[in-house]
Amino acid sequence: MKHRRYWKIGVVAGVAVLACAAVPMLWPGMFKETATAIREPMVRPVKVMRLEDPSESAWRQFPGTAEAVKRTNLAFRVSGPLQTLDVNVGERIEKGALLAEIDPRDYDIAVRRIEAALAEAHATLRAMRSGARREDIEALRANLSAAETRLAEAELQYQRHK
């Protein structure tokens, strides 16, 4: 008997739940919120992105490594800024052709400095010949000879580098 009683209560409760659920479907005007929610269209957000003309963008960035087209390992006996380099990769070169030129200004200045020291030694020698002692004259001749040797060496070095 108990079992039948619980079964009747369950059936009545199920019918009541179904009736409550069916009322809003049968009477849509009864619950205004449900009726308006069904009629209004749903608004969904959209992702927007503005594209620019690619020709207007002046800056482009690419990952990578840049390597020089002209690349060579050179060694010189003298140092100085490279003035010209008239050789291309794969180009045939004749013997004695000028490949590169170093700016000769530093060597010109060194030659002028030595020439000025030589002129000063000549002037001092002339002054001492007029009444100097023999030892002083010999020392000045040695200085003159050393200056002339330095001048000749500087001129040879300049011509070689030129």
Side-chain angles (χ1 to χ4, degrees):
M1 285 264 178
K2 264 185 171 183
H3 183 59
R4 273 186 154 171
R5 196 165 105 186
Y6 288 123
W7 187 78
K8 285 182 184 179
I9 292 174
V11 170
V12 170
V15 170
V17 168
L18 284 175
C20 289
V23 168
M25 287 183 208
L26 296 175
W27 251 333
M30 187 174 192
F31 300 102
K32 289 187 178 177
E33 295 128 11
T34 308
T36 55
I38 292 172
R39 290 185 193 137
E40 291 180 10
M42 182 187 271
V43 178
R44 294 182 180 154
V46 177
K47 291 185 179 181
V48 177
M49 186 169 85
R50 178 174 290 171
L51 298 176
E52 296 179 12
D53 186 14
S55 62
E56 292 179 7
S57 62
W59 179 261
R60 291 187 180 188
Q61 190 172 7
F62 300 102
T65 303
E67 291 186 19
V69 175
K70 292 184 178 180
R71 182 179 173 159
T72 182
N73 296 324
L74 299 176
F76 297 100
R77 291 183 186 167
V78 295
S79 63
L82 195 62
Q83 194 169 13
T84 59
L85 179 64
D86 295 330
V87 180
N88 295 320
V89 176
E91 183 178 345
R92 291 196 178 267
I93 301 169
E94 295 180 18
K95 185 177 181 179
L98 180 67
L99 302 179
E101 187 177 7
I102 295 177
D103 192 4
R105 283 184 286 183
D106 296 337
Y107 301 104
D108 290 338
I109 292 169
V111 168
R112 287 184 190 142
R113 187 177 299 135
I114 292 171
E115 286 174 345
L118 179 64
E120 183 182 354
H122 277 294
T124 308
L125 179 63
R126 270 187 252 117
M128 294 196 82
R129 278 188 180 159
S130 62
R133 295 181 306 168
R134 184 176 181 118
E135 302 88 34
D136 291 335
I137 293 173
E138 290 302 320
L140 288 175
R141 280 188 183 149
N143 287 343
L144 177 62
S145 176
E148 287 173 344
T149 304
R150 284 195 305 268
L151 175 64
E153 182 182 342
E155 285 178 348
L156 285 173
Q157 189 174 10
Y158 173 71
Q159 291 301 324
R160 186 184 76 205
H161 293 298
K162 186 177 172 185

